[in-house]
Amino acid sequence: ASAGVGEEDQDRRCLDNDADDGFGSAKNDDAVWLAPRGGVAVVRRGAAGALACTPQQQQQKHHVIKMNHAVIVQNKGGGHGEIGYHLSQQLRNKGLAVTLLQDKAAKATALPFSKYFDLQKQGVRVEWGALDDPSFIQSAGACTHVFDNNSKSPEDAEVVLSLAKSSPDFRSYAFVSSAGMYTSKGLLTETDPVKESGQRQVELLLARELPGKWCSFRPQYIYGPLTNKRSYLDWFLARSSRNICMAVPGDGEQPVSVTHCEDVAALLASVVGKETEAGGEIFNCGTDKLTTYKKLAAAAARGLGKANALVASLEAGTKSSFPFRPNAEGFAVDVEKAKSKLGWPGATHDVLADLSGFYTRDFLDLGGDAGELDTSKDLLASASGLDYVSV
């Protein structure tokens, strides 16, 4: 053993996930292993100053199992900004080594990025860099799974695709796309028509370049405790807290999918172990607990301790400040395909309970009820049928 390092310490350095910085220094020439006692080892081949393993440890190498390694490519924020945080936790819980490649354009002091230290304590390797830099992407090392939560064009995806193609044991490229590409209305399935958006072009690229080893997920409206895009639900709270009428399109009974980010992450992670079933498939990504515009208004009022929600109606299709699509049919995704093919059990969160619970508390803590509110685009003068919706 090296000077000052006991046998047990050396064993830990060689076979436990406390070795140096865990996954934090793994490069292309590293192997990540599941050690016999359940720890994770980063075994450096020829690294300067690396500890040599004892004969006993060399023998243990015959019993180690190479781990799956997932690389998450995470954008700088917005509606998808919280996904990488929760997805890292989901994948670690499934026993994967996880490397999170974070766009350096994100604000490190903002949520959820300021919480990444929690991920590192759970064994996640977090690296910040330019996501259009091939050398940065390749620094993640060989992987079995990619979760691309960044690409908006084929050019973005090409850089990540090269990592997948250069990984000898690669199994699945999961692309986080968007349900915003659907041109239909109402309850949407994966076979409904879509526009040729940049994200649709990424799906087509993956189909050509990784046949049978790619899949796409189309999320819709996302909320969560670490979100940096609160506008969807804050719209209701900001008005209810000031006793301002909430003008919703049509009768307010349209279906809508508003999904907790943990449920989005769990659905994405359900690919692990189902790579064959997922290969070449597109999945809607959202809650199976649909709600309506009026129910969201009532939940916001309930969270603020009010007896009623003040709701009025705008003509369906009218563009206003309302945060969801204003058509009469609504805009929601059907997730039965993910449940049947991937075994996803369904959402564990309910937006109505969360909106009247933690989300309202966070809204108040952030001072969302303070100051003047610009309602110039609410079109209240055009609204009709004031309704006191019971909470």
Side-chain angles (χ1 to χ4, degrees), residues 230 233-242 246 299-301 303-304 355 359-360 363 368-369:
R230 296 185 55 93
L233 300 182
D234 276 7
W235 187 92
F236 297 91
L237 291 168
R239 284 150 184 79
S240 187
S241 64
R242 295 171 174 82
M246 291 173 271
L304 293 162
L355 177 54
Y359 207 88
T360 295
F363 170 81
D369 59 335

Side-chain angles (χ1 to χ4, degrees), residues 125-146:
R125 172 189 170 199
V126 179
E127 301 286 353
W128 293 67
L131 299 184
D132 60 353
D133 179 359
S135 64
F136 175 64
I137 299 297
Q138 289 291 332
S139 73
C143 61
T144 53
H145 298 76
V146 160

Side-chain angles (χ1 to χ4, degrees), residues 160-176:
V160 185
L161 191 57
S162 65
L163 173 64
K165 288 182 173 181
S166 65
S167 298
D169 298 318
F170 189 76
R171 303 187 66 191
S172 177
Y173 188 126
F175 172 53
V176 184

Side-chain angles (χ1 to χ4, degrees), residues 260-287:
H260 194 293
C261 199
E262 286 184 356
D263 288 324
V264 171
L267 202 162
L268 292 169
S270 64
V271 167
V272 177
K274 294 283 186 176
E275 292 85 358
T276 300
E277 292 84 348
E281 299 289 347
I282 292 171
F283 300 95
N284 283 336
C285 185
T287 182

Side-chain angles (χ1 to χ4, degrees), residues 187-190 218-220 257 259 267 283-290 332-342 344-347:
L187 187 60
L188 306 165
T189 66
E190 292 85 352
R218 295 173 177 172
Q220 206 170 31
S257 307
T259 310
L267 202 162
F283 300 95
N284 283 336
C285 185
T287 182
D288 54 354
K289 299 176 182 179
L290 302 184
V333 292
D334 184 296
V335 293
E336 288 305 308
K337 181 178 179 179
K339 294 173 77 172
S340 63
K341 277 190 169 290
L342 302 180
W344 181 60

